[in-house]
Amino acid sequence: MKRTRILDLPTCKEGSEVQISGWVDGVRALGKIAFLSIRDGTGTVQAVAKPTTSGWDLVEELSLETAISLRGILKKDERALGGVEIKATQLSIIAPSAPDYPIQPKEHSTGFLMSQRHLWIRRPLQASLLRIRSTVILAAQNHLDSLGYVRVDAPILTPTSCEGTTTLFKLDYFEKTAYLTQSGQLYNEATAHALDRVYCFGPTFRAEKSKTRKHLTEFWMLEPEAVGLGLEENISLQESLFCALIDGVLDAHEEELERRFKRDLRALKICQRPFPRMTFAEASSRLSSLGFPLDEEGDFGAQHEEELAKDVGRPFFVHHFPAAAKAFYMAPDPLDPSLSLSLDLIAPDGGGEITGGGVRIQDPNLLARRMDEEGLNRDDFSWYTDLRKYGGVQTGGFGMGIERMVRWLTGTHHVRETIPFPRTIDRLSP
RNA sequence: UCCGCGGUAGCUCAGCGGUAGAGCGGGUGGCUGUUAACCACUAGGUCGUGGGUUCAAAUCCCGCCCGCGGAGCCA
């Protein structure tokens, strides 16, 4: 008999015979009747076994996570969670599970659960998060594809840094030194000159000693880059992508977001284009009037970001950051060279900076000067400056942290739950 | 890297100078409608680690290690 996935049970007729297989999620044995909660990766269902069930003797061997196969009659029953249950006619064990399964149906600390991440992901909420992550990635690729963007991935092993050298993971590469990529941005400029509109998507590494719920040392970044993408076009692309991701997740997971994640769906549905936008200068005067002036350095702290986001109440752009605060390749504003043609997309409800991007410097002399100012060795970037030498045109783009996006969409507390196996400053396993 | 909090049973925690505790989980038995089932019994600990104070340290003091939360930095 063919196995039915629990997800598909609602399409089966009541009273029909079904066969499922999955893992024991809970057992409540009452003597001559036993209630089994069975999870198969697509859903959870209750089965009822009685002494007439073939394999009844096995009930006493069912520890948590025992893999079983079960055949029975599908019945509607108000007393079962989900409204349906299976009256088991036949039960068999596929693979036993040791009785010391560490994750109990009770509160655990996040630290403990993270140490059991390989098992924790079996829990429905965690599995759901990974499913939503998959939807977000697919929606992003579909959207970019519909706009003519070609996926061209950047290397992960790189010879030089893209931004600061202090946050690089260094490794031996035969006789040389290599670094794990911090961004595919520089390579994107090369591929944009070959294919017009491109994006890369892959793991990104930052050896930042950050301990916050928005940071991972290994995260996945989606980076579109296109010829002629000025600030205005950049904003427009980000808006459409952001909305496409919201739509994609609502299409596939609306009920789940509400029931399982208790996400306020209005916060997602109010994200209509155009998004509010403000210059860095406007943001800082707005912060002053809110009672949170920037410090002397003029830097935007976590509190500033949060107060501003609270005030705006929905995702918004901050653009024209001071040039000094941005990477060497960010183009200055021709009207005021102390400002850069850069922008960040900030989400409310603690979502924080979801994207960061801008327009790249095209002028080779200016680029050389900026590299000198940042103390970068020009020779290391010869291929990059070559792009300017041979018909270099202006490109622009941005990077979106996929985990941050998933975190915001689902209202998850910490990014570490939005990636299968998180890497943080103090966690390298499992 | 800095600041704050913590480390006691497999897990979540109480105990805070005088014989090591609870709930959950595990084991055994009971129970025909459970929903983190319930009831009874039971096993399980060099109190993170090294030193110090004391008649006596899980408890007080110092160093170190590990975890959690936050900051800076960023996506």
Side-chain angles (χ1 to χ4, degrees):
Chain A
M1 190 177 173
K2 209 177 146 202
R3 174 194 161 207
T4 303
R5 299 196 310 164
I6 290 170
L7 174 78
D8 297 325
L9 285 177
T11 64
C12 299
K13 270 203 209 98
E14 188 183 2
S16 63
E17 189 180 33
V18 294
Q19 162 131 18
I20 60 166
S21 56
W23 293 269
V24 174
D25 214 37
V27 187
R28 290 175 290 279
L30 279 67
K32 296 289 193 303
I33 186 168
F35 300 92
L36 313 178
S37 177
I38 301 160
R39 188 197 74 242
D40 76 347
T42 73
T44 304
V45 71
Q46 171 165 290
V48 187
K50 293 186 178 177
T52 51
T53 304
S54 154
W56 166 252
D57 292 346
L58 298 172
V59 168
E60 62 186 30
E61 293 173 32
L62 298 179
S63 51
L64 287 180
E65 298 302 316
T66 300
I68 64 169
S69 179
L70 184 139
R71 189 181 288 201
I73 309 299
L74 189 70
K75 287 278 186 199
K76 282 201 178 111
D77 197 312
E78 290 295 313
R79 294 169 295 184
L81 234 60
V84 286
E85 64 181 18
I86 297 171
K87 308 281 187 193
T89 52
Q90 198 184 86
L91 165 73
S92 59
I93 291 178
I94 299 169
S97 171
D100 60 354
Y101 186 70
I103 299 178
Q104 302 172 30
K106 61 169 261 189
E107 292 290 325
H108 288 289
S109 68
T110 313
F112 172 73
L113 290 170
M114 271 302 166
S115 74
Q116 306 295 326
R117 184 63 174 168
H118 52 300
L119 302 173
W120 188 22
I121 51 177
R122 297 183 186 188
R123 297 274 83 227
L125 185 87
Q126 295 303 315
S128 222
L129 229 23
L130 298 181
R131 217 179 271 284
I132 289 170
R133 183 179 206 270
S134 171
T135 298
V136 168
I137 293 169
L138 191 65
Q141 298 208 63
N142 284 339
H143 183 70
L144 289 172
D145 180 66
S146 76
L147 295 175
Y149 281 76
V150 183
R151 176 168 173 170
V152 187
D153 288 323
I156 292 172
L157 291 170
T158 61
T160 52
S161 72
C162 180
E163 281 151 31
T165 47
T166 52
T167 59
L168 283 171
F169 284 106
K170 189 175 167 183
L171 47 95
D172 288 334
Y173 191 77
F174 305 105
E175 305 299 302
K176 295 177 186 154
T177 298
Y179 303 93
L180 294 177
T181 182
Q182 286 180 305
S183 163
Q185 210 280 114
L186 267 37
Y187 293 94
N188 277 347
E189 287 185 48
T191 59
H193 278 75
L195 295 118
D196 186 43
R197 293 178 183 178
V198 299
Y199 71 98
C200 65
F201 179 57
T204 306
F205 305 87
R206 303 273 167 95
E208 291 161 2
K209 297 193 171 174
S210 303
K211 276 181 62 91
T212 81
R213 47 202 158 105
K214 289 188 291 194
H215 286 85
L216 295 168
T217 53
E218 177 183 309
F219 65 96
W220 285 63
M221 188 153 68
L222 180 77
E223 296 178 275
E225 186 83 19
V227 169
L229 199 81
L231 219 47
E232 200 57 45
E233 294 83 1
N234 199 318
I235 284 177
S236 166
L237 175 63
Q238 292 202 36
E239 285 173 343
S240 72
L241 177 64
F242 203 90
C243 291
L245 300 190
I246 290 174
D247 290 346
V249 168
L250 285 177
D251 276 353
H253 308 281
E254 178 160 351
E255 191 260 336
E256 217 170 350
L257 280 175
E258 200 162 25
R259 182 176 53 82
R260 191 121 60 194
F261 293 90
K262 313 282 181 229
R263 185 70 170 111
D264 177 9
L265 297 181
R266 275 173 314 167
L268 269 45
K269 290 177 176 170
I270 58 167
C271 296
Q272 301 294 326
R273 310 170 64 176
F275 291 6
R277 58 174 91 169
M278 63 189 84
T279 63
F280 180 80
E282 286 164 352
S284 79
S285 64
R286 188 156 172 178
L287 279 164
S288 293
S289 64
L290 289 170
F292 301 95
L294 298 190
D295 59 15
E296 308 223 326
E297 305 285 308
D299 278 337
F300 223 76
Q303 198 195 2
H304 293 120
E305 189 179 276
E306 200 155 326
E307 292 299 335
L308 199 55
K310 205 192 288 173
D311 191 45
V312 179
R314 56 202 190 101
F316 64 101
F317 292 102
V318 179
H319 57 96
H320 280 88
F321 285 87
K326 291 287 173 181
F328 75 94
Y329 49 73
M330 210 67 92
D333 183 355
L335 302 174
D336 179 356
S338 73
L339 299 177
S340 60
L341 296 176
S342 55
L343 77 168
D344 284 358
L345 175 57
I346 296 170
D349 314 319
E353 194 180 328
I354 306 277
T355 76
V359 177
R360 323 306 181 187
I361 290 175
Q362 184 198 356
D363 174 19
N365 298 319
L366 177 59
L367 189 65
R369 206 179 74 220
R370 288 289 291 131
M371 287 195 285
D372 293 347
E373 283 169 8
E374 299 290 322
L376 299 169
N377 183 356
R378 287 195 208 174
D379 291 343
D380 291 344
F381 295 89
S382 59
W383 68 265
Y384 183 63
T385 48
D386 255 13
L387 300 177
R388 274 73 186 167
K389 190 174 166 191
Y390 302 111
V393 297
Q394 199 154 59
T395 69
F398 62 91
M400 172 183 273
I402 286 295
E403 291 78 17
R404 285 192 180 176
M405 186 66 189
V406 174
R407 171 172 173 262
W408 179 77
L409 285 166
T410 56
T412 299
H413 182 71
H414 199 300
V415 270
R416 66 190 161 192
E417 291 179 43
T418 63
I419 189 168
F421 295 96
R423 295 292 174 250
T424 56
I425 177 169
D426 41 33
R427 172 151 277 119
L428 187 57
S429 83

